[in-house]
């Protein structure tokens, strides 16, 4: 019923998230765009979110909306997480940046964020209670990691990670996070040994892969 064009026809759109009557569109080598979709048959672009040190061509890989905040992930210049206040979608405000490595995906539960590094860098668990100054709680890696995405389960007690380019199985791993000084791989889900799990999503006690 409607269409939201990228800045440049034919570029690679990666993610869309909705905030009220607005849609955030992420593209790999384009600025992030925000559209007013209150009339879904006629989306109207209201803002281009130019990422830090971005001339409009570098783009990002992913995003998440949580509350009144937009989290832009995988900036192609610096690879970090960028947090925007979008309570006024026509004028987003970049409130902070955070990252110890390139985040390919994140998940958020309450004030805890987990960032996944696809290039063998593991995962960061981050306190985002202060959006102006996120702080690292714990970093963790595991042999052969290549995390494309992940999801918290049962609050923040567990995490499921889909390894897209890891070297030890390319499947979904379950980790116990209850003791952050002793994070343990408790179970591997292998639907098909020759298949790569690209994404997993949790809904209540069900994991979709």
């Amino acid at each position: 019923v409607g269409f939201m064009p990228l800045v440049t026809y034919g570029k690679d759109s990666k993610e869309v998230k909705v905030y009220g009557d607005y849609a955030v569109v992420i593209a790999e080598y384009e600025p992030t765009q925000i559209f007013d979709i209150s009339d879904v048959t006629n989306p109207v672009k209201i803002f281009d979110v130019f990422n830090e040190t971005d001339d409009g061509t570098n783009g990002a890989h992913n995003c998440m909306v949580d509350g009144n905040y937009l989290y832009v992930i995988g900036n192609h210049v610096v690879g970090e997480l960028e947090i925007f206040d979008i309570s006024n979608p026509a004028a987003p405000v970049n409130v902070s940046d955070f990252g110890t490595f390139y985040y390919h995906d994140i998940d958020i539960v309450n004030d805890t964020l987990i960032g996944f590094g696809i290039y063998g860098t593991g995962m960061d668990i981050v306190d985002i209670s202060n959006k102006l100054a996120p702080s690292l709680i714990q970093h963790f890696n595991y042999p052969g990691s290549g995390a494309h995405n992940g999801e918290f389960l049962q609050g923040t007690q567990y995490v499921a990670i889909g390894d897209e380019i890891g070297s030890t199985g390319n499947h979904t791993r379950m980790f116990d996070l209850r003791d952050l000084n002793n994070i343990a791989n408790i179970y591997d889900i292998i639907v098909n040994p020759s298949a790569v799990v690209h994404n997993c999503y949790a809904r209540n006690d069900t994991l979709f892969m």
Side-chain angles (χ1 to χ4, degrees):
V1 296
F3 180 70
M4 296 179 290
L6 290 178
V7 175
T8 306
Y9 180 81
K11 291 286 187 176
D12 188 10
S13 59
K14 283 296 183 183
E15 186 69 72
V16 179
K17 288 292 192 298
V18 171
Y19 173 75
D21 288 334
Y22 300 88
V24 179
V25 181
I26 296 286
E28 283 284 0
Y29 299 101
E30 299 273 314
T32 297
Q33 299 182 93
I34 297 180
F35 288 84
D36 182 335
I37 56 170
S38 53
D39 178 359
V40 294
T41 66
N42 183 34
V44 177
K45 184 171 73 173
I46 60 171
F47 198 79
D48 286 340
V49 181
F50 286 86
N51 301 325
E52 181 184 5
T53 67
D54 190 353
D55 62 2
T57 61
N58 294 296
H61 183 76
N62 202 348
C63 73
M64 185 171 183
V65 172
D66 186 65
N68 293 322
Y69 292 91
L70 166 68
Y71 298 80
V72 177
I73 307 136
N75 176 310
H76 282 288
V77 178
V78 292
E80 63 190 5
L81 165 72
E82 298 168 294
I83 303 176
F84 293 87
D85 182 338
I86 55 170
S87 52
N88 178 2
V93 177
N94 184 193
V95 297
S96 65
D97 303 330
F98 180 86
T100 62
F101 50 81
Y102 170 87
Y103 292 155
H104 201 68
D105 189 33
I106 63 170
D107 192 27
I108 297 171
V109 171
N110 298 324
D111 288 327
T112 303
L113 177 148
I114 188 165
F116 303 98
I118 193 170
Y119 299 120
T121 44
M123 59 185 176
D124 277 350
I125 300 173
V126 182
D127 181 345
I128 56 169
S129 55
N130 181 356
K131 303 295 188 292
L132 301 179
S135 60
L136 182 67
I137 299 171
Q138 184 67 281
H139 172 74
F140 176 75
N141 205 351
Y142 51 95
S145 66
H148 180 270
N149 103 309
E151 289 275 295
F152 278 127
L153 299 165
Q154 295 184 27
T156 59
Q157 294 187 95
Y158 302 92
V159 65
I161 298 178
D163 271 316
E164 182 184 16
I165 62 174
S167 62
T168 57
N170 292 359
H171 44 258
T172 300
R173 292 175 170 83
M174 304 288 289
F175 290 92
D176 187 336
L177 304 178
R178 289 175 295 177
D179 180 356
L180 294 180
N181 294 313
N182 186 30
I183 297 174
N185 180 195
I186 55 173
Y187 190 73
D188 288 0
I189 302 172
I190 305 171
V191 176
N192 180 334
S194 63
V196 174
V197 175
H198 193 250
N199 279 336
C200 60
Y201 296 101
R203 176 64 59 86
N204 299 323
D205 290 329
T206 302
L207 189 69
F208 300 85
M209 297 182 292

